[in-house]
Amino acid sequence: MRPYVIIFSTMTVDGKIANSDGYSKLSCIDDFRLQHYLRSNSDGVMVGANTVINDDPSLTVRLVKGTSPYKIIVDSKLIVPLSSKIFQNPAKSIIITSNNLNKERYEKFEKIGVRIIKVDFNGVLDMVTALKNLYDIGIKRLMVEGGGHLNYSLLYNGLVDELWVTISPFAFGGGTSIFEKGILKEIKAEFYIKEIKNLCQNWVNIKYSILYPKKPLI
Ligand SMILES: NC(=O)C1=CN([C@@H]2O[C@H](COP(=O)(O)OP(=O)(O)OC[C@H]3O[C@@H](n4cnc5c(N)ncnc54)[C@H](OP(=O)(O)O)[C@@H]3O)[C@@H](O)[C@H]2O)C=CC1
Ligand SMILES: Nc1nc(O)c(N)c(N[C@@H]2O[C@H](COP(=O)(O)O)[C@@H](O)[C@H]2O)n1
């Protein structure tokens, strides 16, 4: 069994979640409220290593009432700084990493009370096993907040149930896309609209469910 997975992202009209300098502030207040609402309705919120390094996020619930979920970082080489805001509450922090690192690297995090889940690494981490582990420790509903490489690796493995994407009224013409394939192959996932909502004036949120092709195209 694995958690029910929802990706939440805010992108430009050209599908970028950050520009090439790492600038990523794209939401309006209604969109931030939706983000915090979904956090408050999730058992865990997951981000990739680059997002932690670039944004130093809190991943807490602040704009609506509710409990902050577990914070889950996907980081195969354990490069995220120990001083990251996420680790201010180490008991609610989990790192998914490779089972192939020196034990001193794990100990640094385990010492402060961060839970480490070790899975196989073959260019990317084995997210199927990672999600099974999360389910077994009580994370039944998982929100994923990017970035593009993490989003794609979950999509590629057929692990995403819904995408909630907000289109903001900007274009970058470059930068990080909402889905970045990295070293993985291309697929053709299909998205079905469940709901469309106007946010603020010029932002629009679309909730999709996802249907997967049987095999990767390439
Ligand atoms: N507008 C928005 O809504 C959002 C914008 N952003 C922006 O996105 C940018 C970061 O996106 P991106 O560069 O794609 O980075 P990610 O946050 O997706 O992190 C990618 C890294 O995570 C690690 N990783 C380990 N295992 C996996 C796996 N199975 N699949 C994918 N990644 C894995 C890899 O590093 P390693 O090999 O070292 O482990 C990889 O390089 C930032 O600029 C951030 O500000 C982020 C979230 C939301
Ligand atoms: N929904 C959304 N809109 C944006 O404009 C964003 N830049 C992001 N980024 C994501 O939110 C995290 C920051 O969370 P905190 O406010 O620090 O709790 C950031 O790391 C991205 O995952 N999201």
Side-chain angles (χ1 to χ4, degrees):
M1 298 281 277
R2 65 159 176 89
Y4 190 85
V5 175
I6 302 177
I7 292 180
F8 185 99
S9 267
T10 303
M11 65 178 195
T12 60
V13 291
D14 55 339
K16 307 297 179 192
I17 57 171
N19 74 8
S20 41
D21 295 325
Y23 176 81
S24 66
K25 299 283 167 268
L26 296 171
S27 294
C28 66
I29 185 64
D30 290 353
D31 189 42
F32 278 130
R33 283 203 190 99
L34 188 61
Q35 176 188 35
H36 284 234
Y37 162 79
L38 187 55
R39 284 181 185 176
S40 73
N41 274 276
S42 303
D43 303 308
V45 54
M46 177 183 276
V47 289
N50 290 353
T51 295
V52 174
I53 291 163
N54 288 0
D55 298 352
D56 193 15
S58 303
L59 304 181
T60 52
V61 174
R62 307 183 298 276
L63 298 178
V64 300
K65 280 191 183 150
T67 313
S68 294
Y70 276 94
K71 291 159 276 183
I72 301 148
I73 303 130
V74 181
D75 178 7
S76 60
K77 301 181 199 74
L78 277 181
I79 54 170
V80 293
L82 203 57
S83 58
S84 305
K85 283 186 201 148
I86 280 182
F87 303 122
Q88 281 171 2
N89 185 357
K92 294 261 316 218
S93 309
I94 300 171
I95 302 179
I96 313 278
T97 191
S98 165
N99 53 20
N100 219 355
L101 303 178
N102 290 336
K103 78 175 180 6
E104 297 78 51
R105 302 194 78 135
Y106 308 119
E107 278 171 1
K108 190 167 86 165
F109 291 93
E110 282 169 338
K111 240 186 214 159
I112 62 160
V114 176
R115 188 195 289 253
I116 308 272
I117 294 176
K118 300 167 194 166
V119 296
D120 287 343
F121 177 75
N122 288 304
V124 290
L125 288 167
D126 171 5
M127 296 307 290
V128 174
T129 306
L131 261 56
K132 184 182 176 304
N133 275 264
L134 291 176
Y135 187 90
D136 291 344
I137 61 172
I139 295 172
K140 313 287 186 214
R141 208 175 140 85
L142 178 66
M143 174 182 182
V144 178
E145 286 203 41
H149 287 87
L150 176 63
N151 289 347
Y152 188 78
S153 87
L154 294 169
L155 187 75
Y156 179 83
N157 283 295
L159 297 170
V160 188
D161 299 289
E162 291 182 35
L163 169 69
W164 294 16
V165 59
T166 299
I167 303 170
S168 63
F170 310 108
F172 286 155
T176 306
S177 298
I178 180 170
F179 292 111
E180 287 281 351
K181 79 178 180 64
I183 63 165
L184 297 171
K185 293 177 183 168
E186 287 174 19
I187 55 167
K188 185 183 172 207
E190 291 181 23
F191 294 76
Y192 291 87
I193 294 174
K194 291 178 67 179
E195 193 185 329
I196 302 182
K197 215 181 218 167
N198 244 94
L199 303 175
C200 310
Q201 198 180 347
N202 287 316
W203 279 253
V204 63
N205 179 265
I206 308 175
K207 295 188 176 78
Y208 290 100
S209 50
I210 301 172
L211 193 80
Y212 290 96
K214 291 257 179 315
K215 282 185 191 154
L217 289 180
I218 302 170

